[in-house]
Amino acid sequence: MNVVALVPSALELAESLRRKGRWTKAANILKHLLSAPEWAREIGAQAHLSLARTHMARGDFGSARRHLRQAVRQDPGLAEAWHLLAEVEQIVRPRALPHVIGYLRRAVAADPDEVTYRRHLADAYRRAGYNLRAARCLSASWRRNRTDFALTWDYAEALVAAGERDRARRVVLRYCFLTGDPRGRVLYRQVRQWENVLAHRRESAWGAYAG
């Protein structure tokens, strides 16, 4: 079988094999494709992305990171590759949060409408202590998806952490009005609880400082 002559089918076959756990065969097909310069220029980014997924499934995150870097080098607009690169970076270098944020920002820039990328970027911002940036990151997604409970939860939590307590309450009340979802009441109580926790932390910190 001349795999190079059937590039689109070969990519689909490699993905199918990867999903079935037949990682070695999937990797061999992808490497075969990349070995042909005329096709590597056309499908190199997608092939490297597929190889990265294969290596991630096998637990070889170092190789996955190498192929993801090749993918974004060949196609800087490949949002999924930037997103996976951030995921792999957290595993390979747990303290490299600035790099993770940078990769996720590239993913969001390449695909601004993908909620998952924004949620993960907001989470990275919060872990870095950039609470206001986290809230702003989720704002655009929430305006387009105001009936998404998980997104509303994340956005409200980010707002409280950023000191925007009143706005967090309004966001939850808006969700309740639009959906009638009883979980909205649970979230509203959770917002009050987050507020109390933050207030207690501030009091404790001030007491330690004053003492």
Side-chain angles (χ1 to χ4, degrees):
M1 174 182 175
N2 186 353
V3 178
V4 177
L6 301 171
V7 172
S9 298
L11 277 173
E12 292 175 7
L13 175 60
E15 275 296 290
S16 176
L17 290 170
R18 180 189 65 81
R19 287 192 293 268
K20 292 176 182 177
R22 301 172 69 180
W23 302 318
T24 300
K25 287 190 175 182
N28 287 340
I29 291 173
L30 294 165
K31 289 175 182 177
H32 193 107
L33 291 174
L34 289 170
S35 68
E38 66 273 21
W39 288 112
R41 286 191 297 270
E42 299 295 327
I43 53 84
Q46 286 294 337
H48 280 296
L49 177 59
S50 293
L51 267 171
R53 291 198 198 100
T54 301
H55 285 300
M56 289 176 70
R58 299 170 71 174
D60 186 355
F61 297 106
S63 295
R65 182 171 63 164
R66 186 175 69 253
H67 283 291
L68 288 167
R69 285 177 171 172
Q70 285 279 53
V72 297
R73 187 175 296 117
Q74 293 186 25
D75 184 0
L78 194 56
E80 185 180 359
W82 286 112
H83 182 243
L84 288 179
L85 187 54
E87 182 179 335
V88 168
E89 193 72 14
Q90 292 182 88
I91 297 171
V92 177
R93 300 172 61 199
R95 297 184 179 181
L97 194 53
H99 289 87
V100 171
I101 290 174
Y103 296 148
L104 289 170
R105 290 182 64 181
R106 295 296 296 267
V108 170
D111 189 356
D113 295 331
E114 177 54 57
V115 176
T116 300
Y117 301 161
R118 286 185 176 275
R119 290 179 67 184
H120 289 176
L121 176 57
D123 178 66
Y125 275 144
R126 288 201 59 196
R127 286 187 284 126
Y130 302 133
N131 294 314
L132 187 57
R133 291 185 186 180
R136 289 173 176 170
C137 180
L138 292 172
S139 177
S141 293
W142 184 78
R143 285 197 299 268
R144 291 191 295 268
N145 302 274
R146 297 185 183 189
T147 58
D148 184 318
F149 177 74
L151 179 59
T152 302
W153 181 290
D154 288 350
Y155 185 35
E157 185 176 13
L159 286 170
V160 172
E164 299 281 349
R165 295 174 296 176
D166 291 340
R167 190 175 176 188
R169 295 178 191 174
R170 290 197 300 270
V171 163
V172 176
L173 290 174
R174 182 66 173 171
Y175 172 83
C176 293
F177 175 77
L178 291 173
T179 66
D181 186 350
R183 293 179 299 175
R185 295 182 181 180
V186 176
L187 179 53
Y188 192 85
R189 290 195 295 269
Q190 183 64 51
V191 167
R192 300 298 297 270
Q193 184 175 336
W194 287 329
E195 293 172 359
N196 292 335
V197 169
L198 286 175
H200 178 71
R201 287 177 181 172
R202 291 192 188 99
E203 289 175 4
S204 298
W206 174 251
Y209 174 78

